[in-house]
Amino acid sequence: MALLKFLPVLALFALLFVLSNNGVEASHKIYLRYQSLSVDKVKQTHRTGYHFQPPKNWINDPNGPLYYKGLYHLFYQYNPKGAVWGNIVWAHSVSKDLINWESLEPAIYPSKWFDNYGCWSGSATILPNGEPVIFYTGIVDENNRQIQNYAVPANSSDPYLREWVKPDDNPIVYPDPSVNASAFRDPTTAWRVDGHWRILIGSKKRDRGIAYLYRSLDFKKWSKAKHPLHSVQGTGMWECPDFFPVSLSSEDGLDTSVGGSNVRHVLKVSLDLTRYEYYTIGTYDEKKDRYYPDEALVDGWAGLRYDYGNFYASKTFFDPSTNRRILWGWANESDSVQQDRNKGWAGIQLIPRRVWLDPSGKQLLQWPVAELEKLRSHNVQLRNQKLHQGYHVEVKGITAAQADVDVTFSFPSLDKAEPFDPKWAKLDALDVCAQKGSKAQGGLGPFGLLTLASEKLEEFTPVFFRVFKAADEHKVLLCSDARSSSLGVGLYKPPFAGFVDVDLTDKKLTLRSLIDHSVVESFGAGGRTVITSRVYPIIAVFDKAHLFVFNNGSETVTVETLNAWSMKVPVMNVPVKS
């Protein structure tokens, strides 16, 4: 359950208390009613056109997405009373294609003693009989004590799953005295081994992140395992854990209960301290119920990330209709709380992504679901466009504020790649991006896209590559730099960046960017590195937004192919007809 708006200089919720005698450690303050600020008017500037968001108000974590009887179901944390966090319910929308959405009444909202102070994040599981069950975290008192509950459909024959009930045998998992009861949340989708179900619950002990493991035979009575599935010192609270198998031989997704020798497992956690996520790939020992990350991977803050930008509280699910594992993630706002109140909305869900294991086995690959391409309309192309140093060439003829851009860059040589400073090996990629931005002249790069740009470049969000030569290899940096994105004040405008593990033998790099008014999602090198930025231009809005390709490196770069499409607006949360 993500509680904080990601602004390093602004904490929305204070850490208030330490209650050691009952297993409760320092935690977020709970504001039950004060954030009930009704929205009278919704401002359209910066609202997305094809990303999921409700008509108004605050949203955060995607909860328990699932596919059921021909419909995709998305549950998400929602404040029905205002554009800031509070009064959280499980909002519910359905779709036939992951792009066009209809809304239903909230599936879960505070109504029982075991969730009266909040219905926080969780997951959904499809049982062997085909019926779904939701696990979620309930808040039981003002001390933020957290327990795990379940809900079932009132009518499982209804494909819309319009109504959910909370059986009287709730709660099903309590924190025992050894568990920090104020940091015990976000149960995972369950998986089954040898007739026993398992779930994980995120937690911490002091600064150790923990994924507690619970088992059940009947899906109702759960017992805590003797040891966690996994834990790591120094990472802090693990929110929204996710644990799932990936195939070694196919891009197809797998049901969460699949195991065997042809399978690896992924453990993802959302870090409450840093407001980003990391994942590892490793081995799940079913007999010992232990997870062992591959030794070559970093198991901590500097580890692999789905997205090196504004992306949090993610959740995957298996889509049996297409044999895909699909990833949902949330992007919060990067403006102020007061600006959220003024515009009447906050938060979006990012475009769902297909995820699978890279053939190298070293990381996951991600790509927007194919259904998104149904929204493509007018297309423009560039072919064999030379970009000499200092060039920027406009891509004309599309709606640049709401576009899908796919480009392949090529270059004749790697000889002009800049030396990679050994000191940078100890830095995060974003620090390198901050030092070597899009405007600073380089050798091979910076080159890429100037998105959401004003005509005279007073505002622009560059997404670009920069290639460096290290002692024995080339390092490719992908940046999405919001520092020049807006002339507005009171905005968080960070550079985001990640290194790209890509073979440069063919001397090509690909980039796909999904541009949607206040969000730019970028997929580098076929989805090896992904970065999302939230930006709020004041000049480059609507038809005043422009798109350019550019090169500020001394090596000439060629836009080998570029396809850009204006994007249509899908059906977005129109109420389901009775």
Side-chain angles (χ1 to χ4, degrees), residues 96-119:
K96 294 180 180 179
D97 60 6
L98 291 167
I99 301 300
N100 298 281
W101 292 90
E102 299 175 283
S103 63
L104 293 153
E105 291 298 309
I108 303 173
Y109 48 87
S111 63
K112 302 281 188 176
W113 71 266
F114 47 78
D115 62 15
N116 190 46
Y117 286 76
C119 297

mmCIF file with all atom_site columns, all heavy atoms in Angstrom, residues 96-119:
data_model
loop_
_atom_site.group_PDB
_atom_site.id
_atom_site.type_symbol
_atom_site.label_atom_id
_atom_site.label_alt_id
_atom_site.label_comp_id
_atom_site.label_asym_id
_atom_site.label_entity_id
_atom_site.label_seq_id
_atom_site.pdbx_PDB_ins_code
_atom_site.Cartn_x
_atom_site.Cartn_y
_atom_site.Cartn_z
_atom_site.occupancy
_atom_site.B_iso_or_equiv
_atom_site.pdbx_formal_charge
_atom_site.auth_seq_id
_atom_site.auth_comp_id
_atom_site.auth_asym_id
_atom_site.auth_atom_id
_atom_site.pdbx_PDB_model_num
ATOM 1   N N   . LYS A 1 96  ? -12.507 -5.464 -21.952 1.00 0.00 ? 96  LYS A N   1
ATOM 2   C CA  . LYS A 1 96  ? -12.340 -6.629 -22.820 1.00 0.00 ? 96  LYS A CA  1
ATOM 3   C C   . LYS A 1 96  ? -10.973 -6.649 -23.488 1.00 0.00 ? 96  LYS A C   1
ATOM 4   O O   . LYS A 1 96  ? -10.601 -7.666 -24.085 1.00 0.00 ? 96  LYS A O   1
ATOM 5   C CB  . LYS A 1 96  ? -13.442 -6.653 -23.882 1.00 0.00 ? 96  LYS A CB  1
ATOM 6   C CG  . LYS A 1 96  ? -14.842 -6.868 -23.317 1.00 0.00 ? 96  LYS A CG  1
ATOM 7   C CD  . LYS A 1 96  ? -15.889 -6.872 -24.418 1.00 0.00 ? 96  LYS A CD  1
ATOM 8   C CE  . LYS A 1 96  ? -17.281 -7.088 -23.838 1.00 0.00 ? 96  LYS A CE  1
ATOM 9   N NZ  . LYS A 1 96  ? -18.330 -7.060 -24.900 1.00 0.00 ? 96  LYS A NZ  1
ATOM 10  N N   . ASP A 1 97  ? -10.246 -5.522 -23.406 1.00 0.00 ? 97  ASP A N   1
ATOM 11  C CA  . ASP A 1 97  ? -9.006  -5.430 -24.178 1.00 0.00 ? 97  ASP A CA  1
ATOM 12  C C   . ASP A 1 97  ? -7.865  -4.715 -23.468 1.00 0.00 ? 97  ASP A C   1
ATOM 13  O O   . ASP A 1 97  ? -6.847  -4.401 -24.098 1.00 0.00 ? 97  ASP A O   1
ATOM 14  C CB  . ASP A 1 97  ? -9.281  -4.732 -25.516 1.00 0.00 ? 97  ASP A CB  1
ATOM 15  C CG  . ASP A 1 97  ? -9.824  -3.318 -25.337 1.00 0.00 ? 97  ASP A CG  1
ATOM 16  O OD1 . ASP A 1 97  ? -9.881  -2.816 -24.197 1.00 0.00 ? 97  ASP A OD1 1
ATOM 17  O OD2 . ASP A 1 97  ? -10.191 -2.701 -26.361 1.00 0.00 ? 97  ASP A OD2 1
ATOM 18  N N   . LEU A 1 98  ? -8.001  -4.411 -22.178 1.00 0.00 ? 98  LEU A N   1
ATOM 19  C CA  . LEU A 1 98  ? -6.974  -3.730 -21.385 1.00 0.00 ? 98  LEU A CA  1
ATOM 20  C C   . LEU A 1 98  ? -6.783  -2.268 -21.762 1.00 0.00 ? 98  LEU A C   1
ATOM 21  O O   . LEU A 1 98  ? -5.927  -1.586 -21.196 1.00 0.00 ? 98  LEU A O   1
ATOM 22  C CB  . LEU A 1 98  ? -5.613  -4.445 -21.492 1.00 0.00 ? 98  LEU A CB  1
ATOM 23  C CG  . LEU A 1 98  ? -5.509  -5.804 -20.824 1.00 0.00 ? 98  LEU A CG  1
ATOM 24  C CD1 . LEU A 1 98  ? -4.228  -6.526 -21.280 1.00 0.00 ? 98  LEU A CD1 1
ATOM 25  C CD2 . LEU A 1 98  ? -5.515  -5.653 -19.300 1.00 0.00 ? 98  LEU A CD2 1
ATOM 26  N N   . ILE A 1 99  ? -7.588  -1.751 -22.689 1.00 0.00 ? 99  ILE A N   1
ATOM 27  C CA  . ILE A 1 99  ? -7.432  -0.376 -23.155 1.00 0.00 ? 99  ILE A CA  1
ATOM 28  C C   . ILE A 1 99  ? -8.710  0.433  -22.936 1.00 0.00 ? 99  ILE A C   1
ATOM 29  O O   . ILE A 1 99  ? -8.665  1.565  -22.458 1.00 0.00 ? 99  ILE A O   1
ATOM 30  C CB  . ILE A 1 99  ? -7.046  -0.353 -24.652 1.00 0.00 ? 99  ILE A CB  1
ATOM 31  C CG1 . ILE A 1 99  ? -5.748  -1.120 -24.875 1.00 0.00 ? 99  ILE A CG1 1
ATOM 32  C CG2 . ILE A 1 99  ? -6.925  1.080  -25.154 1.00 0.00 ? 99  ILE A CG2 1
ATOM 33  C CD1 . ILE A 1 99  ? -4.554  -0.577 -24.117 1.00 0.00 ? 99  ILE A CD1 1
ATOM 34  N N   . ASN A 1 100 ? -9.857  -0.120 -23.298 1.00 0.00 ? 100 ASN A N   1
ATOM 35  C CA  . ASN A 1 100 ? -11.152 0.527  -23.073 1.00 0.00 ? 100 ASN A CA  1
ATOM 36  C C   . ASN A 1 100 ? -11.745 -0.008 -21.772 1.00 0.00 ? 100 ASN A C   1
ATOM 37  O O   . ASN A 1 100 ? -11.825 -1.231 -21.579 1.00 0.00 ? 100 ASN A O   1
ATOM 38  C CB  . ASN A 1 100 ? -12.105 0.240  -24.241 1.00 0.00 ? 100 ASN A CB  1
ATOM 39  C CG  . ASN A 1 100 ? -11.590 0.799  -25.546 1.00 0.00 ? 100 ASN A CG  1
ATOM 40  O OD1 . ASN A 1 100 ? -11.711 1.989  -25.812 1.00 0.00 ? 100 ASN A OD1 1
ATOM 41  N ND2 . ASN A 1 100 ? -10.999 -0.053 -26.378 1.00 0.00 ? 100 ASN A ND2 1
ATOM 42  N N   . TRP A 1 101 ? -12.177 0.911  -20.890 1.00 0.00 ? 101 TRP A N   1
ATOM 43  C CA  . TRP A 1 101 ? -12.573 0.511  -19.551 1.00 0.00 ? 101 TRP A CA  1
ATOM 44  C C   . TRP A 1 101 ? -13.950 1.037  -19.171 1.00 0.00 ? 101 TRP A C   1
ATOM 45  O O   . TRP A 1 101 ? -14.325 2.161  -19.516 1.00 0.00 ? 101 TRP A O   1
ATOM 46  C CB  . TRP A 1 101 ? -11.553 1.017  -18.531 1.00 0.00 ? 101 TRP A CB  1
ATOM 47  C CG  . TRP A 1 101 ? -10.230 0.333  -18.671 1.00 0.00 ? 101 TRP A CG  1
ATOM 48  C CD1 . TRP A 1 101 ? -9.175  0.731  -19.456 1.00 0.00 ? 101 TRP A CD1 1
ATOM 49  C CD2 . TRP A 1 101 ? -9.841  -0.886 -18.053 1.00 0.00 ? 101 TRP A CD2 1
ATOM 50  N NE1 . TRP A 1 101 ? -8.149  -0.168 -19.351 1.00 0.00 ? 101 TRP A NE1 1
ATOM 51  C CE2 . TRP A 1 101 ? -8.514  -1.164 -18.497 1.00 0.00 ? 101 TRP A CE2 1
ATOM 52  C CE3 . TRP A 1 101 ? -10.449 -1.761 -17.162 1.00 0.00 ? 101 TRP A CE3 1
ATOM 53  C CZ2 . TRP A 1 101 ? -7.817  -2.291 -18.071 1.00 0.00 ? 101 TRP A CZ2 1
ATOM 54  C CZ3 . TRP A 1 101 ? -9.756  -2.879 -16.732 1.00 0.00 ? 101 TRP A CZ3 1
ATOM 55  C CH2 . TRP A 1 101 ? -8.459  -3.134 -17.188 1.00 0.00 ? 101 TRP A CH2 1
ATOM 56  N N   . GLU A 1 102 ? -14.695 0.190  -18.459 1.00 0.00 ? 102 GLU A N   1
ATOM 57  C CA  . GLU A 1 102 ? -15.970 0.572  -17.865 1.00 0.00 ? 102 GLU A CA  1
ATOM 58  C C   . GLU A 1 102 ? -15.837 0.467  -16.352 1.00 0.00 ? 102 GLU A C   1
ATOM 59  O O   . GLU A 1 102 ? -15.142 -0.406 -15.835 1.00 0.00 ? 102 GLU A O   1
ATOM 60  C CB  . GLU A 1 102 ? -17.082 -0.349 -18.344 1.00 0.00 ? 102 GLU A CB  1
ATOM 61  C CG  . GLU A 1 102 ? -17.311 -0.341 -19.844 1.00 0.00 ? 102 GLU A CG  1
ATOM 62  C CD  . GLU A 1 102 ? -18.357 -1.371 -20.243 1.00 0.00 ? 102 GLU A CD  1
ATOM 63  O OE1 . GLU A 1 102 ? -18.020 -2.564 -20.276 1.00 0.00 ? 102 GLU A OE1 1
ATOM 64  O OE2 . GLU A 1 102 ? -19.506 -0.981 -20.506 1.00 0.00 ? 102 GLU A OE2 1
ATOM 65  N N   . SER A 1 103 ? -16.523 1.339  -15.641 1.00 0.00 ? 103 SER A N   1
ATOM 66  C CA  . SER A 1 103 ? -16.402 1.369  -14.179 1.00 0.00 ? 103 SER A CA  1
ATOM 67  C C   . SER A 1 103 ? -17.614 0.757  -13.505 1.00 0.00 ? 103 SER A C   1
ATOM 68  O O   . SER A 1 103 ? -18.734 0.798  -14.021 1.00 0.00 ? 103 SER A O   1
ATOM 69  C CB  . SER A 1 103 ? -16.211 2.805  -13.684 1.00 0.00 ? 103 SER A CB  1
ATOM 70  O OG  . SER A 1 103 ? -17.349 3.592  -13.988 1.00 0.00 ? 103 SER A OG  1
ATOM 71  N N   . LEU A 1 104 ? -17.348 0.174  -12.341 1.00 0.00 ? 104 LEU A N   1
ATOM 72  C CA  . LEU A 1 104 ? -18.381 -0.407 -11.497 1.00 0.00 ? 104 LEU A CA  1
ATOM 73  C C   . LEU A 1 104 ? -18.318 0.246  -10.117 1.00 0.00 ? 104 LEU A C   1
ATOM 74  O O   . LEU A 1 104 ? -17.413 1.043  -9.831  1.00 0.00 ? 104 LEU A O   1
ATOM 75  C CB  . LEU A 1 104 ? -18.170 -1.916 -11.374 1.00 0.00 ? 104 LEU A CB  1
ATOM 76  C CG  . LEU A 1 104 ? -18.362 -2.717 -12.658 1.00 0.00 ? 104 LEU A CG  1
ATOM 77  C CD1 . LEU A 1 104 ? -17.534 -3.980 -12.629 1.00 0.00 ? 104 LEU A CD1 1
ATOM 78  C CD2 . LEU A 1 104 ? -19.835 -3.048 -12.846 1.00 0.00 ? 104 LEU A CD2 1
ATOM 79  N N   . GLU A 1 105 ? -19.244 -0.114 -9.264  1.00 0.00 ? 105 GLU A N   1
ATOM 80  C CA  . GLU A 1 105 ? -19.173 0.339  -7.879  1.00 0.00 ? 105 GLU A CA  1
ATOM 81  C C   . GLU A 1 105 ? -17.930 -0.252 -7.216  1.00 0.00 ? 105 GLU A C   1
ATOM 82  O O   . GLU A 1 105 ? -17.441 -1.309 -7.627  1.00 0.00 ? 105 GLU A O   1
ATOM 83  C CB  . GLU A 1 105 ? -20.425 -0.084 -7.124  1.00 0.00 ? 105 GLU A CB  1
ATOM 84  C CG  . GLU A 1 105 ? -21.690 0.634  -7.559  1.00 0.00 ? 105 GLU A CG  1
ATOM 85  C CD  . GLU A 1 105 ? -21.594 2.131  -7.327  1.00 0.00 ? 105 GLU A CD  1
ATOM 86  O OE1 . GLU A 1 105 ? -21.243 2.528  -6.197  1.00 0.00 ? 105 GLU A OE1 1
ATOM 87  O OE2 . GLU A 1 105 ? -21.852 2.897  -8.273  1.00 0.00 ? 105 GLU A OE2 1
ATOM 88  N N   . PRO A 1 106 ? -17.391 0.403  -6.184  1.00 0.00 ? 106 PRO A N   1
ATOM 89  C CA  . PRO A 1 106 ? -16.226 -0.158 -5.497  1.00 0.00 ? 106 PRO A CA  1
ATOM 90  C C   . PRO A 1 106 ? -16.470 -1.598 -5.055  1.00 0.00 ? 106 PRO A C   1
ATOM 91  O O   . PRO A 1 106 ? -17.561 -1.949 -4.589  1.00 0.00 ? 106 PRO A O   1
ATOM 92  C CB  . PRO A 1 106 ? -16.041 0.772  -4.296  1.00 0.00 ? 106 PRO A CB  1
ATOM 93  C CG  . PRO A 1 106 ? -16.618 2.073  -4.743  1.00 0.00 ? 106 PRO A CG  1
ATOM 94  C CD  . PRO A 1 106 ? -17.786 1.713  -5.625  1.00 0.00 ? 106 PRO A CD  1
ATOM 95  N N   . ALA A 1 107 ? -15.449 -2.428 -5.222  1.00 0.00 ? 107 ALA A N   1
ATOM 96  C CA  . ALA A 1 107 ? -15.565 -3.833 -4.834  1.00 0.00 ? 107 ALA A CA  1
ATOM 97  C C   . ALA A 1 107 ? -15.449 -3.997 -3.332  1.00 0.00 ? 107 ALA A C   1
ATOM 98  O O   . ALA A 1 107 ? -16.127 -4.836 -2.730  1.00 0.00 ? 107 ALA A O   1
ATOM 99  C CB  . ALA A 1 107 ? -14.485 -4.651 -5.546  1.00 0.00 ? 107 ALA A CB  1
ATOM 100 N N   . ILE A 1 108 ? -14.574 -3.229 -2.708  1.00 0.00 ? 108 ILE A N   1
ATOM 101 C CA  . ILE A 1 108 ? -14.328 -3.331 -1.260  1.00 0.00 ? 108 ILE A CA  1
ATOM 102 C C   . ILE A 1 108 ? -14.221 -1.928 -0.691  1.00 0.00 ? 108 ILE A C   1
ATOM 103 O O   . ILE A 1 108 ? -13.565 -1.060 -1.281  1.00 0.00 ? 108 ILE A O   1
ATOM 104 C CB  . ILE A 1 108 ? -13.020 -4.110 -0.968  1.00 0.00 ? 108 ILE A CB  1
ATOM 105 C CG1 . ILE A 1 108 ? -13.066 -5.506 -1.586  1.00 0.00 ? 108 ILE A CG1 1
ATOM 106 C CG2 . ILE A 1 108 ? -12.774 -4.217 0.530   1.00 0.00 ? 108 ILE A CG2 1
ATOM 107 C CD1 . ILE A 1 108 ? -11.752 -6.256 -1.469  1.00 0.00 ? 108 ILE A CD1 1
ATOM 108 N N   . TYR A 1 109 ? -14.834 -1.720 0.451   1.00 0.00 ? 109 TYR A N   1
ATOM 109 C CA  . TYR A 1 109 ? -14.746 -0.441 1.148   1.00 0.00 ? 109 TYR A CA  1
ATOM 110 C C   . TYR A 1 109 ? -14.888 -0.716 2.639   1.00 0.00 ? 109 TYR A C   1
ATOM 111 O O   . TYR A 1 109 ? -15.407 -1.772 3.053   1.00 0.00 ? 109 TYR A O   1
ATOM 112 C CB  . TYR A 1 109 ? -15.843 0.523  0.673   1.00 0.00 ? 109 TYR A CB  1
ATOM 113 C CG  . TYR A 1 109 ? -17.222 -0.083 0.637   1.00 0.00 ? 109 TYR A CG  1
ATOM 114 C CD1 . TYR A 1 109 ? -18.045 -0.085 1.764   1.00 0.00 ? 109 TYR A CD1 1
ATOM 115 C CD2 . TYR A 1 109 ? -17.698 -0.685 -0.534  1.00 0.00 ? 109 TYR A CD2 1
ATOM 116 C CE1 . TYR A 1 109 ? -19.295 -0.665 1.733   1.00 0.00 ? 109 TYR A CE1 1
ATOM 117 C CE2 . TYR A 1 109 ? -18.960 -1.263 -0.571  1.00 0.00 ? 109 TYR A CE2 1
ATOM 118 C CZ  . TYR A 1 109 ? -19.750 -1.250 0.565   1.00 0.00 ? 109 TYR A CZ  1
ATOM 119 O OH  . TYR A 1 109 ? -20.986 -1.830 0.537   1.00 0.00 ? 109 TYR A OH  1
ATOM 120 N N   . PRO A 1 110 ? -14.415 0.163  3.512   1.00 0.00 ? 110 PRO A N   1
ATOM 121 C CA  . PRO A 1 110 ? -14.484 -0.089 4.954   1.00 0.00 ? 110 PRO A CA  1
ATOM 122 C C   . PRO A 1 110 ? -15.919 -0.308 5.409   1.00 0.00 ? 110 PRO A C   1
ATOM 123 O O   . PRO A 1 110 ? -16.795 0.529  5.180   1.00 0.00 ? 110 PRO A O   1
ATOM 124 C CB  . PRO A 1 110 ? -13.892 1.183  5.559   1.00 0.00 ? 110 PRO A CB  1
ATOM 125 C CG  . PRO A 1 110 ? -12.982 1.722  4.498   1.00 0.00 ? 110 PRO A CG  1
ATOM 126 C CD  . PRO A 1 110 ? -13.682 1.402  3.199   1.00 0.00 ? 110 PRO A CD  1
ATOM 127 N N   . SER A 1 111 ? -16.171 -1.460 6.019   1.00 0.00 ? 111 SER A N   1
ATOM 128 C CA  . SER A 1 111 ? -17.536 -1.770 6.451   1.00 0.00 ? 111 SER A CA  1
ATOM 129 C C   . SER A 1 111 ? -17.578 -2.716 7.644   1.00 0.00 ? 111 SER A C   1
ATOM 130 O O   . SER A 1 111 ? -18.645 -2.950 8.198   1.00 0.00 ? 111 SER A O   1
ATOM 131 C CB  . SER A 1 111 ? -18.329 -2.399 5.292   1.00 0.00 ? 111 SER A CB  1
ATOM 132 O OG  . SER A 1 111 ? -17.757 -3.643 4.904   1.00 0.00 ? 111 SER A OG  1
ATOM 133 N N   . LYS A 1 112 ? -16.432 -3.278 8.032   1.00 0.00 ? 112 LYS A N   1
ATOM 134 C CA  . LYS A 1 112 ? -16.390 -4.258 9.111   1.00 0.00 ? 112 LYS A CA  1
ATOM 135 C C   . LYS A 1 112 ? -15.350 -3.829 10.146  1.00 0.00 ? 112 LYS A C   1
ATOM 136 O O   . LYS A 1 112 ? -14.482 -3.001 9.874   1.00 0.00 ? 112 LYS A O   1
ATOM 137 C CB  . LYS A 1 112 ? -16.027 -5.643 8.562   1.00 0.00 ? 112 LYS A CB  1
ATOM 138 C CG  . LYS A 1 112 ? -16.973 -6.184 7.491   1.00 0.00 ? 112 LYS A CG  1
ATOM 139 C CD  . LYS A 1 112 ? -18.243 -6.737 8.097   1.00 0.00 ? 112 LYS A CD  1
ATOM 140 C CE  . LYS A 1 112 ? -19.089 -7.445 7.044   1.00 0.00 ? 112 LYS A CE  1
ATOM 141 N NZ  . LYS A 1 112 ? -20.297 -8.084 7.633   1.00 0.00 ? 112 LYS A NZ  1
ATOM 142 N N   . TRP A 1 113 ? -15.402 -4.446 11.319  1.00 0.00 ? 113 TRP A N   1
ATOM 143 C CA  . TRP A 1 113 ? -14.430 -4.093 12.348  1.00 0.00 ? 113 TRP A CA  1
ATOM 144 C C   . TRP A 1 113 ? -13.009 -4.365 11.905  1.00 0.00 ? 113 TRP A C   1
ATOM 145 O O   . TRP A 1 113 ? -12.071 -3.664 12.305  1.00 0.00 ? 113 TRP A O   1
ATOM 146 C CB  . TRP A 1 113 ? -14.716 -4.847 13.649  1.00 0.00 ? 113 TRP A CB  1
ATOM 147 C CG  . TRP A 1 113 ? -14.420 -6.331 13.590  1.00 0.00 ? 113 TRP A CG  1
ATOM 148 C CD1 . TRP A 1 113 ? -15.294 -7.331 13.305  1.00 0.00 ? 113 TRP A CD1 1
ATOM 149 C CD2 . TRP A 1 113 ? -13.144 -6.947 13.829  1.00 0.00 ? 113 TRP A CD2 1
ATOM 150 N NE1 . TRP A 1 113 ? -14.659 -8.550 13.326  1.00 0.00 ? 113 TRP A NE1 1
ATOM 151 C CE2 . TRP A 1 113 ? -13.335 -8.345 13.662  1.00 0.00 ? 113 TRP A CE2 1
ATOM 152 C CE3 . TRP A 1 113 ? -11.877 -6.481 14.152  1.00 0.00 ? 113 TRP A CE3 1
ATOM 153 C CZ2 . TRP A 1 113 ? -12.298 -9.254 13.803  1.00 0.00 ? 113 TRP A CZ2 1
ATOM 154 C CZ3 . TRP A 1 113 ? -10.841 -7.384 14.306  1.00 0.00 ? 113 TRP A CZ3 1
ATOM 155 C CH2 . TRP A 1 113 ? -11.057 -8.768 14.128  1.00 0.00 ? 113 TRP A CH2 1
ATOM 156 N N   . PHE A 1 114 ? -12.834 -5.352 11.013  1.00 0.00 ? 114 PHE A N   1
ATOM 157 C CA  . PHE A 1 114 ? -11.487 -5.737 10.613  1.00 0.00 ? 114 PHE A CA  1
ATOM 158 C C   . PHE A 1 114 ? -10.943 -4.898 9.456   1.00 0.00 ? 114 PHE A C   1
ATOM 159 O O   . PHE A 1 114 ? -9.837  -5.150 8.993   1.00 0.00 ? 114 PHE A O   1
ATOM 160 C CB  . PHE A 1 114 ? -11.427 -7.236 10.262  1.00 0.00 ? 114 PHE A CB  1
ATOM 161 C CG  . PHE A 1 114 ? -12.527 -7.725 9.360   1.00 0.00 ? 114 PHE A CG  1
ATOM 162 C CD1 . PHE A 1 114 ? -12.493 -7.480 7.997   1.00 0.00 ? 114 PHE A CD1 1
ATOM 163 C CD2 . PHE A 1 114 ? -13.596 -8.447 9.879   1.00 0.00 ? 114 PHE A CD2 1
ATOM 164 C CE1 . PHE A 1 114 ? -13.499 -7.943 7.163   1.00 0.00 ? 114 PHE A CE1 1
ATOM 165 C CE2 . PHE A 1 114 ? -14.608 -8.914 9.052   1.00 0.00 ? 114 PHE A CE2 1
ATOM 166 C CZ  . PHE A 1 114 ? -14.569 -8.656 7.690   1.00 0.00 ? 114 PHE A CZ  1
ATOM 167 N N   . ASP A 1 115 ? -11.699 -3.913 8.966   1.00 0.00 ? 115 ASP A N   1
ATOM 168 C CA  . ASP A 1 115 ? -11.157 -2.997 7.960   1.00 0.00 ? 115 ASP A CA  1
ATOM 169 C C   . ASP A 1 115 ? -11.732 -1.592 8.110   1.00 0.00 ? 115 ASP A C   1
ATOM 170 O O   . ASP A 1 115 ? -11.682 -0.791 7.177   1.00 0.00 ? 115 ASP A O   1
ATOM 171 C CB  . ASP A 1 115 ? -11.387 -3.517 6.546   1.00 0.00 ? 115 ASP A CB  1
ATOM 172 C CG  . ASP A 1 115 ? -12.864 -3.661 6.167   1.00 0.00 ? 115 ASP A CG  1
ATOM 173 O OD1 . ASP A 1 115 ? -13.728 -3.097 6.873   1.00 0.00 ? 115 ASP A OD1 1
ATOM 174 O OD2 . ASP A 1 115 ? -13.153 -4.327 5.158   1.00 0.00 ? 115 ASP A OD2 1
ATOM 175 N N   . ASN A 1 116 ? -12.242 -1.290 9.288   1.00 0.00 ? 116 ASN A N   1
ATOM 176 C CA  . ASN A 1 116 ? -12.937 -0.021 9.487   1.00 0.00 ? 116 ASN A CA  1
ATOM 177 C C   . ASN A 1 116 ? -12.033 1.186  9.278   1.00 0.00 ? 116 ASN A C   1
ATOM 178 O O   . ASN A 1 116 ? -12.497 2.268  8.945   1.00 0.00 ? 116 ASN A O   1
ATOM 179 C CB  . ASN A 1 116 ? -13.549 0.025  10.891  1.00 0.00 ? 116 ASN A CB  1
ATOM 180 C CG  . ASN A 1 116 ? -14.481 1.203  11.061  1.00 0.00 ? 116 ASN A CG  1
ATOM 181 O OD1 . ASN A 1 116 ? -15.319 1.471  10.205  1.00 0.00 ? 116 ASN A OD1 1
ATOM 182 N ND2 . ASN A 1 116 ? -14.334 1.920  12.169  1.00 0.00 ? 116 ASN A ND2 1
ATOM 183 N N   . TYR A 1 117 ? -10.741 1.020  9.486   1.00 0.00 ? 117 TYR A N   1
ATOM 184 C CA  . TYR A 1 117 ? -9.803  2.125  9.336   1.00 0.00 ? 117 TYR A CA  1
ATOM 185 C C   . TYR A 1 117 ? -9.061  2.080  7.996   1.00 0.00 ? 117 TYR A C   1
ATOM 186 O O   . TYR A 1 117 ? -8.110  2.831  7.793   1.00 0.00 ? 117 TYR A O   1
ATOM 187 C CB  . TYR A 1 117 ? -8.806  2.132  10.494  1.00 0.00 ? 117 TYR A CB  1
ATOM 188 C CG  . TYR A 1 117 ? -9.405  2.609  11.799  1.00 0.00 ? 117 TYR A CG  1
ATOM 189 C CD1 . TYR A 1 117 ? -10.242 1.776  12.537  1.00 0.00 ? 117 TYR A CD1 1
ATOM 190 C CD2 . TYR A 1 117 ? -9.152  3.889  12.277  1.00 0.00 ? 117 TYR A CD2 1
ATOM 191 C CE1 . TYR A 1 117 ? -10.801 2.210  13.737  1.00 0.00 ? 117 TYR A CE1 1
ATOM 192 C CE2 . TYR A 1 117 ? -9.706  4.333  13.466  1.00 0.00 ? 117 TYR A CE2 1
ATOM 193 C CZ  . TYR A 1 117 ? -10.536 3.494  14.191  1.00 0.00 ? 117 TYR A CZ  1
ATOM 194 O OH  . TYR A 1 117 ? -11.087 3.923  15.381  1.00 0.00 ? 117 TYR A OH  1
ATOM 195 N N   . GLY A 1 118 ? -9.484  1.213  7.106   1.00 0.00 ? 118 GLY A N   1
ATOM 196 C CA  . GLY A 1 118 ? -8.872  1.215  5.786   1.00 0.00 ? 118 GLY A CA  1
ATOM 197 C C   . GLY A 1 118 ? -8.855  -0.141 5.117   1.00 0.00 ? 118 GLY A C   1
ATOM 198 O O   . GLY A 1 118 ? -8.669  -1.172 5.772   1.00 0.00 ? 118 GLY A O   1
ATOM 199 N N   . CYS A 1 119 ? -9.067  -0.139 3.813   1.00 0.00 ? 119 CYS A N   1
ATOM 200 C CA  . CYS A 1 119 ? -8.949  -1.330 2.967   1.00 0.00 ? 119 CYS A CA  1
ATOM 201 C C   . CYS A 1 119 ? -7.784  -1.095 2.022   1.00 0.00 ? 119 CYS A C   1
ATOM 202 O O   . CYS A 1 119 ? -7.923  -0.413 1.002   1.00 0.00 ? 119 CYS A O   1
ATOM 203 C CB  . CYS A 1 119 ? -10.231 -1.575 2.180   1.00 0.00 ? 119 CYS A CB  1
ATOM 204 S SG  . CYS A 1 119 ? -11.681 -1.917 3.189   1.00 0.00 ? 119 CYS A SG  1
#
